[in-house]
Amino acid sequence: MDQIMEEDFRVIDNCLIIRLPEEVDHHQAGYISENADKHLLRKEVRHVVFDFENTRFMDSSGIGIIMGRYRKISCFGGRVYAIHADSQIQRIFKVSGLHKIVEIM
Amino acid sequence: MRNEMEILFDAISDNEGFARVAVAAFVSHLNPTLEELSDIKTAVSEAVTNSIIHGYENLYGYGRPGRGPAAAQEVHPGKVQILCALEGDMLQIQIKDQGKGMENVEQAMEPLFTTKPELERSGMGFAFMEAFMDDLEVESSPGQGTTVRMKKKLGCGSWIEV
């Protein structure tokens, strides 16, 4: 199973882009959240983009990651986006109600 | 046709992936749809994660690669048991731990309720199990561990439209 690495976090303009691993579960969640928060401390970062291109599995731990980041940036007018989410991931969004706060593109 | 399997593994987060893939592989000869497989994997992952971080309070591991000793050395690992039974196209899964159990099962099952907000648990675990499986039963009492029983009929296709 692949692990998420430092280079999966990139800042482009005012967006933090996080390329998520193949499986987003509790086992990986802590590292993703911790690293994301390190980048969020940089002043220029306003929005967060979760890239699901490589992701084939996500459980409620992924919802926790996204909700946590949303809480941190929404009060400063930041937005959370999800890109390349396949139909399974979109079902998870729908069941959890997350599609109301995340822009799925 | 009837078919059963049982697995027993240490309650460490490294095993979450193994557990859900093992259950998915067990039903694979029934030719389930991708959606059904994904539903089963999500539900198993939720229940196993609950056993590990709530039942045994094994917070070590928590997805930090290459730091500190291996999770198994750090904590007293309990065991999680998964029992699967297939009868025709009906899949039954039982996920059992001997962890600390819960006093209030009903409250634990409420969406968004979590006792570990500091870990950014979303509180959606039981809600996901309920949404993705056809039937969910939770049996637990303090000090007695927790048993989750889930059922799903395979070969039904999708019921949540995206």
Side-chain angles (χ1 to χ4, degrees):
Chain A
M1 197 174 19
D2 67 332
Q3 292 277 353
I4 189 162
M5 315 276 252
E6 194 62 50
E7 63 261 29
D8 291 320
F9 297 84
R10 281 176 302 152
V11 176
I12 297 177
D13 295 330
N14 60 354
C15 288
L16 168 62
I17 299 166
I18 304 172
R19 193 169 53 203
L20 293 169
E22 192 180 336
E23 311 218 302
V24 181
D25 61 6
H26 154 71
H27 184 60
Q28 307 243 15
Y31 184 77
I32 298 172
S33 298
E34 250 177 37
N35 262 282
D37 287 352
K38 248 193 277 172
H39 286 89
L40 285 182
L41 288 175
R42 291 165 59 167
K43 266 207 287 293
E44 69 270 25
V45 175
R46 198 173 148 91
H47 308 292
V48 179
V49 179
F50 289 96
D51 184 350
F52 287 91
E53 181 152 28
N54 302 323
T55 306
R56 299 283 83 88
F57 175 85
M58 181 171 87
D59 65 15
S60 72
S61 312
I63 303 299
I65 299 173
I66 296 170
M67 267 170 34
R69 307 292 79 66
Y70 174 80
R71 280 203 199 101
K72 291 209 159 110
I73 60 168
S74 59
C75 45
F76 302 108
R79 308 208 54 135
V80 175
Y81 301 90
I83 56 173
H84 300 131
D86 66 17
S87 61
Q88 307 297 338
I89 307 286
Q90 292 197 28
R91 285 178 77 210
I92 302 269
F93 280 153
K94 195 142 202 178
V95 170
S96 63
L98 213 65
H99 61 293
K100 291 180 186 142
I101 60 170
V102 173
E103 277 185 54
I104 300 163
M105 309 199 295
Chain B
M1 192 195 85
R2 192 177 162 86
N3 191 8
E4 283 186 3
M5 74 106 164
E6 185 184 345
I7 47 177
L8 186 70
F9 51 90
D10 279 342
I12 55 176
S13 67
D14 310 67
N15 282 336
E16 289 162 10
F18 158 72
R20 60 177 175 261
V21 171
V23 175
F26 176 69
V27 299
S28 63
H29 68 274
L30 286 182
N31 218 0
T33 63
L34 272 180
E35 242 161 58
E36 286 169 341
L37 271 182
S38 172
D39 290 354
I40 294 166
K41 280 163 82 175
T42 307
V44 170
S45 192
E46 300 298 347
V48 170
T49 305
N50 277 350
S51 286
I52 294 172
I53 65 174
H54 296 290
Y56 293 112
E57 300 203 289
N58 183 354
L59 308 181
Y60 197 79
Y62 191 39
R64 295 185 177 95
R67 228 191 281 171
Q73 295 165 349
E74 178 76 4
V75 289
H76 47 88
K79 305 269 185 201
V80 180
Q81 182 210 41
I82 300 185
L83 248 166
C84 285
L86 263 174
E87 250 185 287
D89 54 3
M90 181 62 86
L91 169 69
Q92 298 185 48
I93 308 173
Q94 174 181 293
I95 296 169
K96 189 174 179 177
D97 67 64
Q98 261 93 44
K100 68 169 191 174
M102 297 175 274
E103 202 154 326
N104 192 338
V105 176
E106 245 168 68
Q107 187 184 39
M109 291 178 72
E110 277 170 26
L112 301 176
F113 175 84
T114 179
T115 52
K116 299 227 182 315
E118 73 281 7
L119 287 190
E120 296 195 324
R121 304 300 307 157
S122 58
M124 297 297 292
F126 282 121
F128 274 23
M129 290 180 231
E130 248 174 344
F132 292 132
M133 302 297 277
D134 297 338
D135 190 50
L136 170 70
E137 253 176 64
V138 184
E139 206 183 290
S140 185
S141 52
Q144 301 296 308
T146 300
T147 304
V148 173
R149 289 188 197 89
M150 301 184 279
K151 278 186 202 161
K152 189 173 180 71
K153 198 170 151 58
L154 299 172
C156 304
S158 159
W159 56 277
I160 298 169
E161 298 297 327
V162 174

